[in-house]
Amino acid sequence: MAEKPVDALTEAEARAELAALAQRIAAANRAYHTEDAPEISDAEYDGLKRRNAAIEARYPALLRADSPSARVGGAVAEGFGKIRHRVPMLSLENAFTDADVTDFDDRVRNFLGHAGALAYTAEPKIDGLSLSLRYESGVLVQAATRGDGETGEDVTANARTVADIPQRVAGAPEVMEIRGEIYMAQADFAALNDRQRAAGEKIFANPRNAAAGSLRQLDAGITAARPLKFFAYTWGELSEPLAATQLGAIERLAAMGFATNPLTVLCDGPQAMLAQYRLIEAQRATLGYDIDGVVYKVNDLALQARLGFRATTPRWAIAHKFPAELAWTRLEAIDIQVGRTGALSPVARLAPVTVGGVVVSNATLHNEDYIAGRDSAGRPIRDGKDIRAGDWVQVYRAGDVIPKVADVDLSRRPADAVPYAFPETCPECGSPAIREPGDSIRRCTGGLICPAQSLEKLRHFVSRAAFDIEGLGTKQVEMFFADPDLPVKAPADIFTLAARDAANPLKKLKNRDGFGETSASKLFAAIDERRRISFERFLFALGIRHVGEVAAKDLARHYGNWPALAAAIDAAHPAALAEIAADETEAAERAAAATAGRRAEVSKARARAWADTPAEARAAWDDLLSVEGVGATLALSLVTALAPGPERAAVEALVAQLTEIAPPAARAAASPVAGLTVVFTGTLEKMTRAEAKARAEALGAKVAGSVSARTDLVVAGPGAGSKARDAERLGIRLIDEDGWLALIAGG
Ligand code: IVH
């Protein structure tokens, strides 16, 4: 039966159809998620959801309490559905000084090989939270928070209640994701807090928290009652471009009915950008909403596309932040926290003080040199003034970051204040805490015997980007860690909880405080669900120093599965030991030379260490270093952490509890150069070396500096010398720059 166009539906018909759609979509969800037996195709399902959203957009008043747009999949009862961003939502690199801004312009022009001036837009950086709005055929079908940048929360029903967000737009591309900032005006924030106070409800710390708390309401009715606003400033997926320039795109969005920031202007270079920064800063107090800086973006969208992205930030934009906010208060004590990787971090306990609208009672003191008044190279900071308990200190915070202690007022130092003695043993486990040469951080050497490290590792293990087990958050992990009957000391213990609980007739989990029959069995089910995990999450969850989400993903792509990575680590271990030995010998040689008052000779330590290392160990080490983003520091950390020993044993115990560690999807598999190792040589005429490399990597190729038997392709420009000859000798495919451009255009 042909569907009646949404525009032709009467209100009664719309109401009836929304009810029917809610039922059909719920049934499809049940079949798919709970019964694992889909009844309709994905396309049909998407069609139903789209139709539902279009009718809701036409008749917002008919929005049902059980609207399918408010939920995704089976996860209806708890929390929000998840939405995978088709184009990741990135963050911005920061600039703090004028020089940072001119450097940014230099970098952009160098990357592009562009000698003349470049135009940029400048606009306020709104202090709210970013939101992605998806329009299909001009109808708002989905709204998602940023989340971790790759997956956000489905807040469609909530976004529909925001007046600045159009439900339908005319003249838009078929698919259009518009991104911008949800924020709350200062006056609205103050009035909201007055109402909250009168009702005995939660008071928000600042407009940003209030905006976040208001948008992320499971009951969209509450969001509707909160005065949220929205500025559009960028986009995600588009079926066709909006314009040729950033400013043109923003103007087009304004014409479609989006709110755009009136202070957005075009600048012809860094001087004009800095002038606009000063202008916006001068208006900051009277804008009526919080901003924390100015964002500059390359205006030409074709150049933006060429510049592309680093792991988490675009190369074509930067946020020039306003100076941090400051306050003075008394430092009551210095505490030491021991982190996941054993780092001893000094924390200032402060007499509570308001800094830029937020009450601060803790701040970081960085490390022992910082407290002593010197930097890592031994040069004085704060004119060499040290920091002591009892001192008056200046605290500052910039944006969301952790407050820091910046300065100390010696004129108010108590007579009995004593210099702070940084502990040389771990305050948690008593193991020696040592500083590696060149490291500013002192670390506990206790490893997994240190309760603080074990607990922090567990906390990290269950965190959102890691195993993310429903019902097993920080609080529960701390509880189990200290539990004498059902202890969880290492990740593998999480997966034996159910069996141990079943085997213990007394003291069942379900009979404990905070647990019941349902919550205990739900927890066990959620744990079971995570016996299948992606390789990259698994790797990130191990909490190895320097192995963050990006590195975990790159390593997962390169090695594919855990046995392959474990074998590579074992194979590379002798090479890592040789590296460490060489580092130590070189440091000793340098120290000896310094004592003798002569210059250190070029060290032969590394060459010697390598000569004694078996070829297969060197090959495994080189292979590890060839992974994008993996340098010697990360490689050493990975190999030393996971070489056979207690930590490896803990990982293997975990692996034994898992059903599947799923290999990652191949990246950019469709690209004709994905997986190839490419060498660029000679002069490139249409792009800079940096651009060529970034582009090749974005297409899934590996870019190497020298030609070897493992090279797949050499791109040679004029003046190419020995590398081109090597390629010919080794029979490696050799093309010129135009050949390369034609090759990648084919993908
Ligand atoms: S452009 C590729 N423009 O700042 C990223 N971001 O630190 C493009 N923000 O996550 C972002 N005002 O939430 C852009 N005028 C503005 C902004 C802005 C605020 C936020 C945004 C982003 C964060 C990055």
Side-chain angles (χ1 to χ4, degrees):
M1 190 187 74
E3 279 175 345
K4 206 164 170 182
V6 171
D7 282 337
L9 291 176
T10 66
E11 187 165 339
E13 284 169 335
R15 181 178 293 116
E17 194 173 340
L18 285 178
L21 281 166
Q23 270 196 7
R24 283 189 65 189
I25 294 171
N29 279 339
R30 264 196 311 279
Y32 184 88
H33 290 281
T34 320
E35 289 144 27
D36 246 348
E39 285 165 351
I40 58 175
S41 72
D42 286 1
E44 248 176 295
Y45 178 81
D46 287 344
L48 293 179
K49 294 253 314 192
R50 261 204 302 278
R51 172 113 182 138
N52 182 74
I55 301 175
E56 285 176 347
R58 171 91 206 284
Y59 290 106
L62 296 183
L63 193 77
R64 299 170 57 89
D66 64 348
S67 162
S69 25
R71 49 199 70 194
V72 155
V76 271
E78 276 159 278
F80 295 92
K82 297 219 157 102
I83 289 180
R84 203 170 173 80
H85 299 300
R86 292 180 173 77
V87 176
M89 288 182 81
L90 302 177
S91 54
L92 292 170
E93 186 193 352
N94 289 328
F96 295 99
T97 64
D98 289 5
D100 291 344
V101 176
T102 45
D103 283 353
F104 163 68
D105 173 57
D106 286 344
R107 263 183 285 135
V108 166
R109 288 184 303 111
N110 283 339
F111 186 96
L112 296 169
H114 188 102
L118 270 186
Y120 298 85
T121 57
E123 69 199 68
K125 182 168 190 297
I126 315 298
D127 197 4
L129 61 148
S130 46
L131 185 69
S132 186
L133 304 167
R134 186 175 175 87
Y135 292 82
E136 288 173 2
S137 316
V139 176
L140 175 65
V141 292
Q142 201 171 61
T145 61
R146 178 170 184 274
D148 63 4
E150 295 212 354
T151 308
E153 285 174 328
D154 183 345
V155 291
T156 312
N158 314 58
R160 285 190 197 290
T161 70
V162 177
D164 282 346
I165 296 179
Q167 301 278 329
R168 32 180 46 217
V169 290
E174 176 58 30
V175 173
M176 174 174 89
E177 281 177 8
I178 298 307
R179 292 172 175 177
E181 204 84 353
I182 286 279
Y183 67 99
M184 196 179 281
Q186 288 149 353
D188 290 335
F189 160 72
L192 171 63
N193 260 357
D194 286 346
R195 290 201 299 277
Q196 294 284 101
R197 200 171 291 114
E201 301 275 344
K202 174 187 160 97
I203 305 289
F204 296 102
N206 53 44
R208 206 182 80 84
N209 289 353
S214 301
L215 183 68
R216 296 183 68 259
Q217 283 289 339
L218 285 173
D219 176 356
I222 300 181
T223 310
R226 300 274 174 85
L228 291 176
K229 296 195 151 135
F230 180 78
F231 277 128
Y233 52 65
T234 193
W235 48 88
E237 192 183 9
L238 290 177
S239 55
E240 58 190 273
L242 290 171
T245 62
Q246 178 74 31
L247 199 65
I250 297 300
E251 281 165 357
R252 182 127 181 247
L253 292 182
M256 286 180 200
F258 288 95
T260 58
N261 194 287
L263 293 174
T264 309
V265 299
L266 194 61
C267 303
D268 60 9
Q271 290 320 311
M273 288 146 79
L274 295 173
Q276 183 64 12
Y277 174 85
R278 308 243 138 75
L279 204 83
I280 292 177
E281 190 178 26
Q283 297 184 49
R284 185 179 184 188
T286 54
L287 290 176
Y289 50 88
D290 284 0
I291 63 174
D292 56 356
V294 174
V295 182
Y296 309 121
K297 299 172 186 167
V298 169
N299 189 43
D300 184 330
L301 297 183
L303 297 184
Q304 282 193 8
R306 280 178 57 194
L307 285 155
F309 303 89
R310 304 177 204 89
T312 60
T313 55
R315 287 196 191 81
W316 42 262
I318 198 162
H320 189 178
K321 303 294 278 283
F322 292 135
E325 318 210 41
L326 302 170
W328 286 88
T329 188
R330 213 176 91 94
L331 170 62
E332 297 185 327
I334 298 176
D335 283 351
I336 298 288
Q337 282 177 356
V338 182
R340 168 167 61 81
T341 59
L344 267 49
S345 306
V347 180
R349 306 293 179 201
L350 306 165
V353 62
T354 307
V355 190
V358 173
V359 179
V360 168
S361 45
N362 300 307
T364 177
L365 284 162
H366 306 284
N367 56 52
E368 61 186 294
D369 288 340
Y370 190 82
I371 298 175
R374 53 176 184 258
D375 69 10
S376 55
R379 288 176 299 242
I381 49 175
R382 295 184 303 269
D383 301 324
K385 292 178 284 186
D386 71 328
I387 295 173
R388 307 178 181 185
D391 271 340
W392 273 87
V393 290
Q394 187 191 49
V395 183
Y396 76 101
R397 49 183 287 277
D400 299 340
V401 301
I402 321 166
K404 299 180 169 116
V405 171
D407 203 358
V408 52
D409 183 352
L410 291 187
S411 72
R412 302 183 72 173
R413 173 168 284 175
D416 58 354
V418 290
Y420 179 69
F422 204 93
E424 294 185 353
T425 54
C426 172
E428 300 283 343
C429 72
S431 304
I434 61 162
R435 272 179 78 169
E436 300 278 345
D439 192 355
S440 56
I441 307 288
R442 191 171 283 279
R443 288 174 204 278
C444 161
T445 52
L448 292 177
I449 69 147
C450 175
Q453 283 190 53
S454 303
L455 179 57
E456 288 306 318
K457 270 196 182 280
L458 275 171
R459 279 208 191 115
H460 173 81
F461 185 82
V462 300
S463 67
R464 223 167 88 165
F467 269 64
D468 191 23
I469 297 170
E470 183 101 41
L472 193 66
T474 306
K475 248 180 41 205
Q476 291 78 11
V477 163
E478 282 168 11
M479 182 201 90
F480 282 120
F481 190 76
D483 191 314
D485 301 307
L486 264 184
V488 170
K489 301 284 187 194
D493 300 343
I494 293 172
F495 293 92
T496 59
L497 267 177
R500 286 186 287 146
D501 192 50
N504 184 354
L506 311 162
K507 301 189 176 167
K508 289 264 185 236
L509 185 60
K510 64 179 187 192
N511 299 328
R512 308 228 187 150
D513 261 8
F515 280 95
E517 183 91 50
T518 340
S519 58
S521 61
K522 258 193 172 165
L523 174 63
F524 296 147
I527 292 173
D528 275 342
E529 218 167 274
R530 286 305 197 194
R531 287 185 201 268
R532 282 177 208 285
I533 191 97
S534 71
F535 186 29
E536 61 206 60
R537 267 183 190 263
F538 166 85
L539 251 184
F540 172 68
L542 300 182
I544 294 159
R545 205 169 139 213
H546 303 300
V547 182
E549 278 181 79
V550 175
K553 190 178 282 181
D554 289 336
L555 287 165
R557 281 205 185 104
H558 188 83
Y559 290 100
N561 57 56
W562 164 249
L565 175 61
I569 286 170
D570 293 346
H573 193 212
L577 295 177
E579 278 283 308
I580 295 170
D583 282 345
E584 282 171 359
T585 316
E586 280 187 2
E589 287 171 358
R590 267 198 305 275
T595 330
R598 57 181 165 75
R599 280 178 43 169
E601 289 162 29
V602 176
S603 176
K604 299 198 181 71
R606 203 158 305 266
R608 258 187 264 121
W610 277 113
D612 296 339
T613 307
E616 58 277 23
R618 286 191 307 224
W621 179 254
D622 283 344
D623 188 50
L624 178 55
L625 287 178
S626 78
V627 178
E628 189 181 336
V630 173
T633 312
L634 193 161
L636 269 182
S637 165
L638 178 72
V639 175
T640 45
L642 293 185
E647 195 152 340
R648 170 69 164 272
V651 174
E652 296 291 1
L654 167 66
V655 171
Q657 292 295 329
L658 303 177
T659 327
E660 185 189 4
I661 305 178
R667 178 170 50 169
S671 140
V673 297
L676 301 188
T677 299
V678 182
V679 173
F680 291 97
T681 178
T683 316
L684 299 179
E685 290 166 333
K686 307 212 162 107
M687 54 195 158
T688 60
R689 209 39 100 68
E691 180 177 1
K693 179 167 190 284
R695 182 101 180 90
E697 285 172 352
L699 291 168
K702 228 186 284 177
V703 177
S706 60
V707 176
S708 75
R710 283 192 285 164
T711 310
D712 296 301
L713 182 64
V714 174
V715 181
S722 64
K723 288 181 193 169
R725 284 195 297 279
D726 288 345
E728 274 170 4
R729 185 169 50 78
L730 293 166
I732 293 165
R733 186 168 170 209
L734 183 69
I735 58 177
D736 63 8
E737 188 177 4
D738 285 333
W740 166 255
L741 289 172
L743 178 62
I744 59 177

